[in-house]
Amino acid sequence: MYKIDRLNELAEKVAEKRAVNAAFEPRRMTAEEKDELLSHFHPDYKKEEFTELSAGVNKGDKVPTQLAELLQGKSRISADSVDLSKPDYDTDVLIIGGGGAGASCAIEADEAGVKAMIVTKLRIGDANTMMAEGGIQAADKPNDSPAIHYIDAFGGGHFAAKPELVKKLVTKAPEAIQWLNKLGVEFDKEPDGTMITTHGGGTSRKRMHAAKDYSGAEIMRTLRDEVINRGIPVVDFTSAIEIILDENGKAAGAVLMNMETKEPLVARAKTVVIATGGAGRLHYQGFPTSNHYGATADGLILGYRVGARLLYADTLQYHPTGTGYPEQIFGALVTEKVRSLGAKLVNIDGEVFMHPLETRDVTAASIIRECTARDKGVETSLGKAVWLDTPMIEYIHGEGTIEKRIPAMLRMFGKYGIDIRKEPILVYPTLHYQNGGLDITDDCATVVENLYAAGEVAGGIHGRNRLMGNSLLDVIVFGRNAGIYAAAKAKETPVPEKLTLEHIEKFNKELEECGISAEVESPLLLPHYARKDK
Ligand code: MEZ
């Protein structure tokens, strides 16, 4: 039975074993042990949670059931319900999404001298980039190299990533850090200006660059300022609800919808970049999420309906350390940096049950096993969780380390009366990242001509599991990359003449032929949080 007093008693047990646990070096799992663990405890392996697609280019592939409903859902408009003859906006590069990838893309397109425009359903910066905490990877220290970074990322992703995408990610990483540094990101530095770097799960070198534990917010602040300073148009509170094609099937713009009035608007463009982010707010398998409110898989739907392929849409990342307690912040991110700084994961008996810096899929599965099969979880008002022994950080590195290195964590728990310098915290996996997405080439092109994708909406960069800090890196490297290539293509593309939405009817017909009666309207745009009992 869950009781707060009982939690305090159990936390005492963690404190008693702190000195022994701090000195203990848990061994790493073997490849066989990891495979066995993942197949039994990682949510990606729960067959009953996936549905085979019956329509579209990925017909026959399995994706999470909620995503299948949206991919095979009904459009918010019919092909003839929108007047395409008088566009409300005309631009060269239309960027759908105002997060890190969208903003980086817009900056590079603007730099290339074309007209770029961002459209976003919330406001610029309301995105998962803003929520990233622990840092951004780049091999820029003398003991490291992009080749070593490649091996870590490719191996961590189970050797499933597209090699040319991983190559681009790691080789462009040092330059990405310099670009951000010059734009004004306040990275953590030594007094002599050297960047401070730490380990993340699955990294063989310390290459995590951070701005304390609000790295994403700091990066997004800087990118947003740059977009505004350049005068790049941003149309906010306006979502894209369908991609528009030209008579040759090339992307030529998007139908937009004013989020308040629901008025449809037409944006014509020479090239279109989808940078809409992830899907955490679909709460796959009932998991809480660390994601931004707008993470509803919209870009996957937009792309899929016009024939862009999905890659690894069946693989999701459950961040091992979502907040397990208190209720108000259930599922909120507890950055991996907490473990990089030395905090260990501990079960109800005060035992360290794994190495704290295994890759994320392995760590999440290990916590789930501890709370289920091994029955060594701590019961809270929300289910089982394990301890993350945060005071161990100051035990190892000295007083003041937590406030200096992870002040956002200190503040987040402090609001609920929990001082993470003195008490361990309770954690459980939370839905964090979409490993797969739209299949792209290394110039960010999808199979639909003039349609590009960048950031979390794209798949293939991280294989079947992403390492910490490779997402902030991905949004910068591939966001910029999309801007460069989409701008170059726009320069050689004439203004599209005939705009069509015929693909909607084509897709509807395919659904009908497969016997699917599309019930759900998609893209979803905003999550459903209405109480079902009212
Ligand atoms: O890359 C991430 O997902 C990240 C930096 C998260 C974190 O734990 O801070």
Side-chain angles (χ1 to χ4, degrees):
M1 180 58 184
Y2 156 77
K3 285 222 174 53
I4 292 185
D5 289 350
R6 169 93 177 119
L7 284 188
N8 291 336
E9 257 172 53
L10 291 170
E12 280 302 315
K13 209 183 259 188
V14 179
E16 279 161 25
K17 298 204 172 167
R18 186 159 299 130
V20 174
N21 283 342
F24 173 60
E25 179 64 26
R27 75 167 177 87
R28 300 270 184 175
M29 285 180 221
T30 63
E32 291 72 27
E33 283 169 335
K34 288 181 192 174
D35 287 348
E36 171 79 6
L37 173 72
L38 291 172
S39 65
H40 285 97
F41 297 99
H42 194 279
D44 278 359
Y45 291 77
K46 276 197 161 181
K47 289 199 177 84
E48 66 279 16
E49 298 285 349
F50 294 81
T51 296
E52 189 175 307
L53 291 171
S54 311
V57 277
N58 284 79
K59 190 171 172 166
D61 287 357
K62 290 204 167 166
V63 300
T65 298
Q66 297 94 318
L67 179 61
E69 281 169 7
L70 295 170
L71 288 169
Q72 300 181 150
K74 63 174 184 244
S75 174
R76 292 174 168 269
I77 48 173
S78 61
D80 53 8
S81 63
V82 180
D83 179 6
L84 301 174
S85 68
K86 292 187 206 76
D88 301 275
Y89 302 98
D90 240 316
T91 191
D92 293 328
V93 181
L94 173 68
I95 300 147
I96 305 170
S104 303
C105 175
I107 294 166
E108 286 298 347
D110 184 66
E111 188 65 23
V114 301
K115 268 198 293 178
M117 177 180 119
I118 295 177
V119 55
T120 170
K121 67 183 173 184
L122 296 167
R123 298 161 305 177
I124 182 166
D126 286 339
N128 280 348
T129 298
M130 190 65 115
M131 320 279 286
E133 295 173 353
I136 171 168
Q137 286 203 44
D140 57 4
K141 290 282 169 79
N143 70 340
D144 202 0
S145 71
I148 303 175
H149 188 177
Y150 183 104
I151 292 166
D152 288 349
F154 199 52
H158 300 278
F159 308 97
K162 288 173 90 167
E164 65 277 23
L165 299 184
V166 194
K167 183 176 169 199
K168 185 153 263 179
L169 181 80
V170 300
T171 53
K172 296 282 178 191
E175 181 192 321
I177 298 290
Q178 286 315 314
W179 186 69
L180 290 171
N181 194 42
K182 280 199 193 110
L183 286 179
V185 171
E186 299 271 4
F187 284 112
D188 296 342
K189 292 178 184 156
E190 303 286 4
D192 69 357
T194 313
M195 299 247 185
I196 297 174
T197 49
T198 49
H199 271 299
T203 64
S204 59
R205 298 289 185 277
K206 290 183 177 176
R207 69 171 78 91
M208 203 70 56
H209 301 62
K212 301 196 186 291
D213 56 348
Y214 40 76
S215 311
E218 172 59 12
I219 288 173
M220 195 66 239
R221 173 195 71 76
T222 310
L223 295 173
R224 182 177 53 198
D225 283 355
E226 183 66 14
V227 167
I228 293 167
N229 290 343
R230 283 173 177 261
I232 297 168
V234 179
V235 183
D236 56 14
F237 295 114
T238 303
S239 52
I241 54 171
E242 284 296 339
I243 299 295
I244 297 171
L245 301 178
D246 72 4
E247 71 270 40
N248 300 312
K250 299 180 187 175
V255 177
L256 313 178
M257 187 184 83
N258 179 303
M259 292 293 281
E260 200 179 345
T261 64
K262 309 284 181 261
E263 176 198 7
L265 299 156
V266 173
R268 177 169 60 183
K270 295 174 182 171
T271 56
V272 179
V273 181
I274 300 180
T276 50
R281 290 283 160 173
L282 298 186
H283 294 285
Y284 296 136
Q285 303 193 29
F287 272 83
T289 186
S290 58
N291 276 191
H292 195 272
Y293 187 64
T296 50
D298 301 348
L300 302 185
I301 316 305
L302 294 173
Y304 196 66
R305 237 182 235 143
V306 290
R309 277 191 66 77
L310 303 176
L311 185 64
Y312 304 142
D314 59 329
T315 149
L316 282 305
Q317 177 161 92
Y318 297 83
H319 193 293
T321 57
T323 304
Y325 180 84
E327 284 98 338
Q328 297 92 326
I329 48 171
F330 185 54
L333 183 62
V334 174
T335 176
E336 192 164 317
K337 191 169 175 185
V338 173
R339 283 174 284 136
S340 307
L341 291 171
K344 290 195 175 112
L345 291 160
V346 171
N347 67 19
I348 192 169
D349 298 329
E351 292 162 357
V352 172
F353 58 90
M354 65 169 304
H355 191 288
L357 289 177
E358 292 283 11
T359 54
R360 281 190 179 162
D361 52 353
V362 170
T363 312
S366 187
I367 293 172
I368 293 171
R369 176 175 63 186
E370 212 62 18
C371 292
T372 54
R374 287 189 174 163
D375 200 16
K376 298 268 186 183
V378 176
E379 190 160 342
T380 76
S381 49
L382 297 152
K384 295 267 169 92
V386 297
W387 295 111
L388 180 58
D389 192 6
T390 45
M392 195 180 275
I393 295 174
E394 302 214 332
Y395 180 85
I396 298 169
H397 301 288
E399 231 175 84
T401 310
I402 287 185
E403 185 156 24
K404 188 162 173 223
R405 304 291 298 277
I406 47 171
M409 292 295 98
L410 182 64
R411 188 159 171 266
M412 178 166 88
F413 282 91
K415 275 187 188 167
Y416 304 100
I418 298 169
D419 184 344
I420 69 169
R421 294 169 297 195
K422 301 194 169 67
E423 304 164 69
I425 55 176
L426 286 158
V427 293
Y428 191 79
T430 186
L431 181 54
H432 185 61
Y433 190 77
Q434 167 176 278
N435 294 319
L438 296 170
D439 193 1
I440 54 166
T441 61
D442 67 352
D443 54 6
C444 289
T446 69
V447 290
V448 177
E449 202 169 336
N450 296 348
L451 184 65
Y452 296 77
E456 191 172 344
V457 77
I461 301 160
H462 310 287
R464 304 189 76 87
N465 176 61
R466 176 179 66 77
L467 300 188
M468 172 194 186
N470 274 351
S471 171
L472 279 178
L473 178 59
D474 164 353
V475 299
I476 302 302
V477 168
F478 287 94
R480 295 181 71 194
N481 192 52
I484 292 165
Y485 284 98
K489 190 71 194 296
K491 282 183 184 169
E492 61 186 47
T493 303
V495 177
E497 275 180 23
K498 189 169 177 295
L499 305 184
T500 98
L501 287 170
E502 276 163 18
H503 69 272
I504 299 177
E505 298 316 326
K506 218 170 112 199
F507 196 76
N508 284 346
K509 196 154 168 275
E510 193 183 342
L511 290 177
E512 215 179 289
E513 281 166 9
C514 303
I516 295 176
S517 63
E519 316 261 301
V520 187
E521 258 190 353
S522 63
L524 183 61
L525 307 180
L526 295 175
H528 296 302
Y529 285 133
R531 282 181 65 168
K532 305 235 164 39
D533 57 344
K534 291 262 169 182

